[in-house]
Amino acid sequence: MRPPIPLALESAALRAAGTLSRLAGRGGGTTLPGKLLWKLDPGAIDVLARRLPQGSVLVSATNGKTTTSAMVAAILRPRVRVAHNDSGANLVSGIASTLLRAGEAELGLFEVDEAALPEVARRVRPKALLLGNLFRDQLDRYGELEIVAGRWRDAVAALPDAQLVVNGDDPQVGDLARLHDGARVFGLDDPRRARPALQHAADSKYCLRCGTPYEYAAAYVGHLGDYRCPNCGHARPPLDVVGRDIELDGLDGASFTLAAPEGVTRVRLALPGLYNVYNALAAGSLALSLGVPVADVGAGLQRFSAAFGRFERIAVGDRRLLMLLFKNPAGANVVVRTLVEASAPRVAVIALNDQIADGRDVSWIWDVDFEPLVDGLDALVVTGERAAELALRFAYGGLPRERIEVVPSLGKALDRGLELTPAGGELTVLPTYTAMLALRRIVAARGHVANYWETAA
Amino acid sequence: MKLRVGHLYPDYLNIYADRGNIAVLIERARLRGHELDVRAIGMHDRVPVGEIDLFYVGGGQDREQALVADDLAAKAPPLRGAVEAGAAFLAVCGGYQLLGRFYRDVAGVEHPGIGLLPLHTVAEPRRMIGDVLLECTWAGRTLAGFENHAGRTLLDEGAEPLGRVVAGFGNDGRSGYEGCRYRRVYGTYLHGPLLPRNPWFADHLLAEALAHAGGPTELAPLPDELERQAHAVSAERARSRGGRF
Ligand SMILES: [Zn+2]
C-alpha cells in the first residue's frame, strides 16, 4: 500500500493545480484539486474535516439545496467563518476542494448531492444534517427514488448524535424524524397557498406503510404538503418550525411568518415563489438548531440575494434577460407556476441539454406541466443539444408549430430571442444546468455579467 | 371514427412521461379525423371487454409495480380475452415486465405477471441505463429511445422480439433483442416519449386500433419534420453512448 502524502505538501500542490486549471480557463478550477485529493488519498477528506473547530453541517435535497445552503451561509456568516462549497460542486470531490481551501474557516457548510450523501456523511461526520425533499430527478443517474430514500435512511441511522432537521411535508423525508431522537421537523401551514390537487409529477403519492394513496389537506409543491393515509393513519409528523401567513409578490419576492419553539419572526425574501419559502424555512430551521437567535435568522434571510443563476436578471443593451434554471419536473413546475402568476411571457428561449449534470435521459420534460405557458406564447425559441425534443413537447402540448423555432446553437438562440423582444422588454430564458453555464459564458463574453467564480470569491 | 383507449393504472405506472405517448396518439389520430377516447382503468376497475381498441400500460418503480401486481393478475382473463379478439396493446418498461409470467425484483421477491407475453424477467443489481436504437425488420424502420431497468427479460423460444438492438442493452444486454411482439401486443423497455420521436410506431399502433375497431387502417402522412430531427439526435446518442455500464 502506498503511504499517504503529507497533507501540507499535498494541499500546496493541489492548490497550485487549482490555479493552473483556473488560468487555463477550464471552468474556474473548482473541483480539480478535490478530484486529485480524492484519487490520491480519500481518507485525507476525513482528516481535513476534523480540523474544522466547529465541525460541519450538510444540506441535501433534490430541489433547492444550492439556494438553501446559500441562505444558511448568509445567516451564519456574521457569527462564524464558514467554508462553503458555494459553486455548486456538491460531490465528494467538490467538498474535498472546499476543505482544501478552508484556511481559517471554523465551520464547514456543505451542499451535498442526494446520491453522494452517505459517503460524504461517513467521511465528514457532520454535527447537523438538513434534508429538504426527494423528487424524481435524473433517474438515469440515481436509479429509483426509493433507492435514494433507502440510502438516506442508512445515512441518518449512522449519525445518531447529529442534529437532524427534516421537511415534514415530504412523506419520505419527514418519516426520518421517527428514526432519530430530537429531530427538528419543519413544514408549511397555509391552506390558502395549497394546490387544489396533486400535480402530475407528484412522486411520493402512496403511503410509505401500506401503499394507499395519501389524502392531502393541503398540497403545496409537488407531493409536499399536509398528507394523511386514510387506511393506516400514517401522516405528516408534528411540526416544530412552521411557515404560515405566506404572501407571494410575483417575481419580486415572498414573505412568511416563521414560528418556532424559540420564537416567531416575519421573514421577507428577495426571491419569488412558494419553493423559496420552503428553502428559507429549511435554512432557518437549521440555523435555529445551530443556536442562532430567531431575530438573526429573519435578518439573515432578508439579507440574502438570489443564489447564482437560479433566478437572475441581466441587462443586455436596452433589453433584459430573466434567467430561471429548470432541472426536473417538480422544479420546472414551480418555475412555470411562478412565471405565469407574475406575468406569462410572450417570448421565451428554452434550452435543453443532455449532459450528465442535466440528465442524459430527457423524458422528464414530458412530466413538466408546461401547458400554462402555451397560451401566452407568441414565439418560442428552443435550443440546446435536445432542442428538437423540446419542440415536440410544446407542439404536442398545444403550441402551434409555426410559433416554434428550433435553433440548436445557444448563442444564436439568444440573439433570436432578443430580436423577438421589444426594446425595453424582458426575455424569459429557461435553461437546464449545463445550458445555463454555457449561456452565462456567452453573455459574460459580451461583457454583461461576471463569471461566477469571480463573484463567488 | 372513435377509437377507445384503456390506460391501465395511470396513477401508479407513469414514471417516465407516459402521458407524452398518449398525447401523441390523441393528436395524430385527430389530424386524421379520428377521435381518441382515453379512459383510465385503475385499481379495482373492471376491464370493459370488447369496448377497448388499444390498451396502454406504462412504467413504474419496483414499489408501484408491486402495488398493482395483484390487481393486474385479477384482470388477466379479460385482458387476455381482449388481446385474442384483436385489441392492440402497448406496454412500456414496468408494464412490459408485468405482461410476462413473473418479475423477480432485486430483493428476490417474485411478482406474478399475467402471462400475456411469452417471457419472464429477473432483476440484477446493475441497472441497464442509456440510449437505445432498434432495427424493426418486420416494419423496415428504426426505434430510438432510452432505457432504465434492472430487469433482464428473457423471451421464450420462438417468441418475436420488437427489434434487434443496434446500440444499447435491450431485453437483457446479451441476446441482442429488445421488446416482444405477440398478435397486436407490443412490449418494450423504451420508456417515456417513445412515440414523439418514433411517429411511425405511433401510426402503426393507431392502425392496429383501427383494425380492431373495424375502420379503414390507412393514415395520411404528416410532415413530421421535428419528429425526424428528434429521432436523428436520439439515434446518434445511442450509437455514441448506448449500452455501456
Ligand atoms: Zn397507510
Side-chain angles (χ1 to χ4, degrees):
Chain A
M1 209 176 99
R2 178 178 48 83
I5 301 166
L7 264 176
L9 182 69
E10 181 170 283
S11 299
L14 293 165
R15 267 197 299 274
T19 307
L20 280 176
S21 145
R22 199 153 36 238
L23 287 174
R26 294 192 19 213
T30 47
T31 62
L32 183 59
K35 279 182 183 148
L36 283 172
L37 178 60
W38 178 227
K39 278 226 162 81
L40 292 170
D41 183 10
I45 294 164
D46 314 32
V47 177
L48 286 170
R50 276 200 294 278
R51 287 182 187 169
L52 290 162
Q54 296 195 28
S56 296
V57 297
L58 306 185
V59 176
S60 194
T62 310
N63 283 315
K65 54 187 172 291
T66 303
T67 305
T68 301
S69 56
M71 286 172 164
V72 175
I75 299 169
L76 295 179
R77 281 237 156 86
R79 332 173 65 85
V80 60
R81 288 190 300 274
V82 176
H84 175 206
N85 56 338
D86 54 6
S87 65
N90 60 19
L91 301 173
V92 184
S93 56
I95 288 152
S97 288
T98 305
L99 284 166
L100 280 169
R101 289 193 312 257
E104 298 300 302
E106 298 158 296
L107 177 76
L109 165 61
F110 303 116
E111 163 200 338
V112 187
D113 173 86
E114 307 89 280
L117 184 72
E119 169 91 36
V120 172
R122 199 163 53 78
R123 297 199 170 279
V124 169
R125 307 294 307 172
K127 67 170 177 180
L129 179 59
L130 166 59
L131 300 175
N133 54 64
L134 275 177
F135 287 94
R136 74 173 78 156
D137 180 22
Q138 300 193 19
L139 294 173
D140 56 321
R141 241 184 90 208
Y142 301 137
E144 302 191 345
L145 192 64
E146 298 289 329
I147 296 172
V148 180
R151 288 195 195 135
W152 277 23
R153 272 194 295 277
D154 297 343
V156 166
L159 294 169
D161 299 326
Q163 299 179 67
L164 179 67
V165 180
V166 296
N167 186 347
D169 287 359
D170 186 316
Q172 301 255 29
V173 178
D175 204 52
L176 297 171
R178 297 190 171 91
L179 306 174
H180 196 93
D181 283 342
R184 183 184 287 260
V185 181
F186 66 88
L188 297 185
D189 190 7
D190 191 344
R192 293 175 308 147
R193 303 296 163 210
R195 309 283 301 175
L198 282 186
Q199 280 180 295
H200 176 78
D203 295 291
S204 299
K205 290 186 287 199
Y206 311 106
C207 177
L208 293 179
R209 300 264 164 78
C210 75
T212 307
Y214 284 118
E215 285 175 357
Y216 277 80
Y220 297 107
V221 171
H223 62 271
L224 306 183
D226 185 2
Y227 50 87
R228 188 170 196 289
C229 170
N231 181 44
C232 75
H234 182 256
R236 178 169 77 165
L239 302 180
D240 303 304
V241 183
V242 186
R244 58 170 68 111
D245 302 323
I246 302 160
E247 297 303 329
L248 300 174
D249 187 14
L251 286 174
D252 297 322
S255 54
F256 68 100
T257 299
L258 182 152
E262 290 88 347
V264 176
T265 186
R266 186 80 188 157
V267 178
R268 276 173 197 79
L269 296 173
L271 292 169
L274 207 48
Y275 58 112
N276 279 313
V277 174
Y278 266 118
N279 293 335
L281 192 64
S285 299
L286 176 61
L288 289 169
S289 281
L290 296 173
V292 179
V294 116
D296 294 0
V297 167
L301 289 170
Q302 218 142 311
R303 271 194 313 274
F304 174 79
S305 62
F308 151 76
R310 267 59 188 174
F311 167 79
E312 61 186 339
R313 284 195 159 102
I314 304 162
V316 177
D318 57 358
R319 293 166 174 80
R320 284 186 317 275
L321 298 183
L322 170 66
M323 190 136 81
L324 291 127
L325 176 73
F326 85 118
K327 60 170 199 166
N328 54 33
N333 279 344
V334 284
V335 165
V336 168
R337 179 174 165 190
T338 305
L339 274 177
V340 171
E341 282 171 3
S343 78
R346 301 183 61 180
V347 179
V349 173
I350 307 189
L352 176 64
N353 276 356
D354 67 351
Q355 296 174 32
I356 288 174
D358 307 291
R360 291 192 152 183
D361 181 1
V362 296
S363 321
W364 63 274
I365 62 169
W366 290 86
D367 283 330
V368 178
D369 292 327
F370 281 118
E371 279 70 8
L373 286 178
V374 164
D375 283 342
L377 280 175
D378 294 329
L380 171 68
V381 180
V382 291
T383 180
E385 294 156 346
R386 302 303 289 269
E389 261 342 291
L390 207 44
L392 288 177
R393 171 67 188 90
F394 278 87
Y396 284 105
L399 188 63
R401 290 186 183 217
E402 60 273 15
R403 291 191 206 163
I404 304 172
E405 297 183 29
V406 183
V407 185
S409 149
L410 291 168
K412 287 184 181 143
L414 192 61
D415 289 338
R416 180 63 184 141
L418 287 167
E419 193 177 289
L420 290 164
T421 305
E426 187 164 83
L427 172 65
T428 300
V429 182
L430 306 180
T432 57
Y433 187 72
T434 68
M436 177 193 74
L437 296 182
L439 280 166
R440 281 189 60 97
R441 275 195 296 273
I442 291 164
V443 178
R446 299 175 185 180
H448 297 297
V449 283
N451 280 318
Y452 73 92
W453 51 90
E454 292 166 15
T455 57
Chain B
M1 70 186 300
K2 193 172 205 164
L3 290 171
R4 300 152 303 176
V5 176
H7 188 170
L8 286 156
Y9 310 110
D11 292 337
Y12 287 84
L13 300 179
N14 62 8
I15 184 103
Y16 281 117
D18 290 295
R19 67 175 174 169
N21 287 337
I22 299 286
V24 167
L25 290 170
I26 291 174
E27 179 63 5
R28 298 185 73 84
R30 189 188 67 82
L31 290 168
R32 276 71 165 255
H34 301 299
E35 191 196 333
L36 236 59
D37 170 22
V38 182
R39 62 180 96 164
I41 304 175
M43 210 70 108
H44 312 303
D45 289 347
R46 191 182 65 88
V47 177
V49 179
E51 295 169 35
I52 300 291
D53 304 306
L54 171 64
F55 289 93
Y56 182 88
V57 62
Q61 309 189 49
D62 279 358
R63 176 173 165 76
E64 282 100 32
Q65 267 176 267
L67 287 172
V68 306
D70 286 342
D71 188 81
L72 184 64
K75 290 181 168 68
L79 286 175
R80 219 175 284 133
V83 164
E84 294 306 324
F89 204 139
L90 175 61
V92 175
C93 205
Y96 167 46
Q97 295 173 340
L98 289 174
L99 292 200
R101 279 189 302 278
F102 64 87
Y103 169 57
R104 192 183 304 145
D105 69 22
V106 194
V109 180
E110 201 163 296
H111 305 283
I114 62 172
L116 195 63
L117 289 175
L119 54 89
H120 68 274
T121 302
V122 177
E124 288 179 19
R126 210 163 197 197
R127 298 183 74 85
M128 302 198 287
I129 303 176
D131 300 272
V132 204
L133 181 63
L134 307 184
E135 190 171 26
C136 302
T137 39
W138 57 273
R141 309 296 285 260
T142 57
L143 286 172
F146 202 93
E147 62 186 327
N148 180 350
H149 50 109
R152 272 62 172 171
T153 293
L154 303 164
L155 302 185
D156 290 357
E157 190 69 36
E160 286 281 342
L162 177 64
R164 192 179 61 78
V165 176
V166 178
F169 293 103
N171 278 338
D172 59 356
R174 299 172 194 112
S175 65
Y177 292 119
E178 205 290 321
C180 186
R181 281 188 305 140
Y182 167 75
R183 296 183 68 94
R184 290 191 177 121
V185 185
Y186 301 83
T188 180
Y189 276 117
L190 275 58
H191 63 232
L194 164 70
L195 300 184
R197 62 171 87 104
N198 298 291
W200 72 264
F201 192 49
D203 288 352
H204 179 76
L205 291 165
L206 288 175
E208 296 277 67
L210 282 163
H212 178 262
T217 59
E218 301 297 300
L219 292 166
L222 297 173
D224 290 340
E225 179 49 36
L226 296 173
E227 284 83 351
R228 261 192 295 280
Q229 289 179 35
H231 181 281
V233 177
S234 184
E236 186 282 322
R237 287 292 189 275
R239 286 196 184 93
S240 64
R241 68 188 193 192
R244 280 176 217 137
F245 283 112

